[in-house]
Amino acid sequence: HDAMIPSGITLLDLACTDTTDGFCGVGHGINVVGDRNSGKTAAAVASAAETHRRYGDHFDYKLLDLENAYSFNTVALWGAKFAKALEVIPVPHDIGWCTEAIAAKMVAWMKAKPQFFIVDSVDFLRARKEFANPENLSKDGKKGIDPRAAANNFFFRLVVPKLAETGSVLIYLSQARDNIGFGAMFVEKVRSGGRALGYNAYIELWLSAGKTIKTGGLKVGNWVYAKAERSKANGKKRTV
């Protein structure tokens, strides 16, 4: 379980681990947080593609598409071999795919073979209680405690030990949200879903879009800033 997982970007690997071998070792979780159109999904899939180029079919590659929005031309961007290896799983919004059920499915998959998981995104995970009580009301009709944080905590308690045990990898994506209220001047962006998301991240990356890239006046993309807010590999905070 000493293998390193490449991000596909040499500078990002160096920022997170002080090596060009990768930005995280197997057996861990990586939380990628960012605004819409900051490149979260592309970064995650690029890492999976580079991992497949290096390790081949050692892993099963699964993208759990909770947003049902995956639209990349995988063959054109990352090649036919990886496109064949990547299993994009559209996740239906029913109780059979609630947060707790997804965790159980992931554990079962890991028992069969090491997995490279991409969860896109954790903001669309729904706790079992949300299906039974969508308005989240207590018996007296008042608003109850948010069930998502508790379900996410269960998810990570179940999945993270199996990542380490099986040498699997989990990249889970989060939407950045504007921080409002006390402390907003110090921390402009936050994520929802509870503390378990950050606590269980071996690597925590925050992405933000930079300047537009143009060719002959035509917009072809954006520079992206990637801030390693947390790296248990080297303990350093760096921005690429």
Side-chain angles (χ1 to χ4, degrees), residues 87 89 106 143 176 186 213 219 224:
E87 183 181 1
I89 304 173
M106 291 171 67
K143 202 72 173 175
F186 304 107
I213 302 171
K219 178 180 176 180
V224 174

Side-chain angles (χ1 to χ4, degrees), residues 27-33 122 149 152-158 160-161 163 170 172 174 191-206 229-232:
H28 298 300
I30 302 154
N31 189 200
V32 181
V33 192
V122 292
N152 287 345
N153 195 35
F154 171 88
F155 176 93
F156 286 104
R157 285 205 318 269
L158 198 65
V160 168
L163 294 174
L170 167 63
Y172 52 103
S174 299
R191 72 186 151 211
S192 60
R195 294 181 179 179
L197 275 66
Y199 179 80
N200 288 284
Y202 192 82
I203 301 292
E204 180 181 325
L205 294 176
W206 287 71
E229 180 63 29
R230 181 184 197 184
S231 171
K232 292 183 179 178

Side-chain angles (χ1 to χ4, degrees), residues 3-235:
M4 295 292 290
I5 298 300
S7 67
I9 304 168
T10 304
L11 282 175
L12 189 54
D13 293 344
L14 284 166
C16 293
T17 65
D18 292 329
T19 76
T20 58
D21 298 332
F23 74 145
C24 189
V26 298
H28 298 300
I30 302 154
N31 189 200
V32 181
V33 192
D35 296 317
R36 184 182 179 187
N37 296 326
S38 61
K40 299 185 299 297
T41 303
V45 179
S47 174
E50 188 68 15
T51 300
H52 181 261
R53 189 184 72 82
R54 184 182 295 184
Y55 299 115
D57 294 331
H58 173 76
F59 298 97
D60 276 346
Y61 301 84
K62 291 184 174 66
L63 190 155
L64 301 179
D65 186 16
L66 283 105
E67 296 186 10
N68 286 285
Y70 186 82
S71 58
F72 288 125
N73 186 333
T74 311
V75 174
L77 290 170
W78 294 289
K81 289 183 179 179
F82 174 67
K84 185 177 180 181
L86 179 65
E87 183 181 1
V88 178
I89 304 173
V91 176
H93 291 287
D94 61 51
I95 196 167
W97 287 83
C98 66
T99 306
E100 296 88 342
I102 290 174
K105 293 177 192 291
M106 291 171 67
V107 168
W109 286 327
M110 284 188 280
K111 287 180 180 178
K113 184 179 180 180
Q115 302 288 317
F116 191 118
F117 291 119
I118 299 172
V119 174
D120 189 6
S121 66
V122 292
D123 298 79
F124 282 76
L125 287 171
R126 294 183 64 189
R128 180 179 287 113
K129 287 184 178 180
E130 290 185 84
F131 290 95
N133 182 10
E135 295 184 358
N136 191 28
L137 299 177
S138 60
K139 291 181 179 179
D140 59 3
K142 296 181 180 179
K143 202 72 173 175
I145 299 173
D146 181 11
R148 292 195 178 192
N152 287 345
N153 195 35
F154 171 88
F155 176 93
F156 286 104
R157 285 205 318 269
L158 198 65
V159 171
V160 168
K162 289 298 179 182
L163 294 174
E165 182 181 317
T166 62
S168 296
V169 181
L170 167 63
I171 299 181
Y172 52 103
L173 311 184
S174 299
Q175 300 288 342
R177 303 180 186 280
D178 291 328
N179 191 12
I180 58 176
F182 181 79
M185 69 177 70
F186 304 107
V187 181
E188 295 181 357
K189 299 288 184 178
V190 294
R191 72 186 151 211
S192 60
R195 294 181 179 179
L197 275 66
Y199 179 80
N200 288 284
Y202 192 82
I203 301 292
E204 180 181 325
L205 294 176
W206 287 71
L207 305 185
S208 59
K211 293 182 179 179
T212 299
I213 302 171
K214 292 184 177 180
T215 300
L218 178 67
K219 178 180 176 180
V220 295
N222 281 85
W223 289 104
V224 174
Y225 294 99
K227 181 181 180 182
E229 180 63 29
R230 181 184 197 184
S231 171
K232 292 183 179 178
N234 63 13

